Amino acid sequence: MNYEKYSNLVGKHALFSPSSVCLIDKTDKDIIRYWARKYIPEIGTALHDIARAHIKNRIKLTRYSKSEVLLSLIDTYKIPLAVIERAIDFDAKYHNLMTYVNDGIKHRMVPEQILYLSNLCFGTADTISSLDSVERTGMLRIHDLKTGDTPAKMFQLENYAALFCLNYNYKPVDLEMELRIYQSGEVLYHNPDPNDIQLTMDQYKNANQLINDILMED
């Protein structure tokens, strides 16, 4: 007698995998919530992609666009309506998305831009000022869309500012910077100290050199 092969499941993990969840003490409500919340990263990725497309094409969101975004989540990104209704407050997420998108369009920003020092040090800014705008005005704007509920930290945007300066040979002291986080219906503003950005740049260069030196020894 032989075990079933289930070759189509090799390398995959079930939602209720024995290694991921203990069901013995879970109510029906707990189980449904666990199932729905597993989609939250997928919903976040979809909302970022929708934001990118709207900002790139300069198409603003309005209160009349909400049903279109919801339909896109369901039809294009294949997220069940039952999940959306149970995993997130869609009205609140949409309001946050609308504010983020429309501000990005207002300032004619570039969505999903990679900022690069090396293969060890790079990242993607959600939206950032165009290079022409920075050159013309001396203002660097970086906006970040947060679709989760865990309070975001501004250091991530300071890191993007540092990578921008390294990537395009700017001195922080020569720039005016405004960093924004869009989360939970609020917009957090921050004007970083150029000295802090310079320190972060130095640390990026040090980390990059440190690891490359180790790799060269091998």
Side-chain angles (χ1 to χ4, degrees):
M1 188 172 183
N2 298 318
Y3 281 109
E4 293 287 346
K5 295 296 185 182
Y6 302 111
S7 57
N8 61 311
L9 298 179
V10 173
K12 297 181 180 179
H13 297 279
L15 175 65
F16 299 114
S17 166
S19 63
S20 64
V21 62
C22 176
L23 292 174
I24 197 169
D25 60 347
K26 298 292 188 293
T27 66
D28 288 357
K29 186 176 180 179
D30 291 334
I31 291 171
I32 293 170
R33 177 178 170 81
Y34 179 82
W35 162 72
R37 289 187 65 82
K38 281 291 184 179
Y39 280 86
I40 285 179
E42 193 173 334
I43 293 171
T45 298
L47 290 175
H48 273 86
D49 195 43
I50 291 168
R52 176 200 58 77
H54 275 265
I55 294 171
K56 179 181 178 181
N57 292 291
R58 307 290 186 234
I59 301 172
K60 289 187 175 183
L61 291 174
T62 71
R63 60 193 178 96
Y64 302 109
S65 311
K66 183 163 64 173
S67 59
E68 295 176 14
V69 171
L70 179 60
L71 182 61
S72 182
L73 289 176
I74 297 166
D75 193 48
T76 303
Y77 298 95
K78 308 303 180 185
I79 299 169
L81 176 60
V83 165
I84 297 170
E85 292 174 337
R86 290 165 174 80
I88 63 172
D89 179 344
F90 179 73
D91 287 345
K93 298 298 182 189
Y94 179 78
H95 177 75
N96 197 56
L97 179 74
M98 181 174 65
T99 305
Y100 166 78
V101 165
N102 292 348
D103 282 355
I105 293 172
K106 174 184 176 182
H107 295 293
R108 305 195 66 80
M109 298 171 75
V110 177
E112 301 295 330
Q113 177 59 48
I114 293 174
L115 302 170
Y116 182 88
L117 172 63
S118 72
N119 286 351
L120 293 172
C121 305
F122 66 90
T124 304
D126 283 353
T127 52
I128 189 169
S129 299
S130 70
L131 286 174
D132 288 343
S133 176
V134 176
E135 183 67 25
R136 186 177 66 256
T137 67
M139 164 66 85
L140 174 64
R141 300 178 185 273
I142 301 176
H143 296 177
D144 197 68
L145 174 65
K146 296 298 183 187
T147 58
D149 297 325
T150 302
K153 303 294 185 183
M154 197 62 73
F155 77 84
Q156 180 183 354
L157 277 73
E158 292 184 340
N159 288 344
Y160 289 138
L163 283 173
F164 169 84
C165 290
L166 288 166
N167 200 159
Y168 295 99
N169 298 313
Y170 276 94
K171 295 179 180 179
V173 72
D174 293 334
L175 294 173
E176 184 179 354
M177 303 184 204
E178 183 181 87
L179 313 179
R180 298 186 190 181
I181 291 175
Y182 293 74
Q183 184 174 35
S184 302
E186 294 184 315
V187 183
L188 304 179
Y189 297 82
H190 178 53
N191 301 109
D193 185 331
N195 292 323
D196 291 339
I197 303 302
Q198 184 62 60
L199 179 60
T200 302
M201 292 168 63
D202 294 341
Q203 284 293 75
Y204 267 126
K205 289 189 288 187
N206 178 64
N208 187 60
Q209 188 64 53
L210 184 66
I211 300 306
N212 277 315
D213 286 347
I214 292 173
L215 293 175
M216 288 292 289
E217 291 174 1
D218 295 337

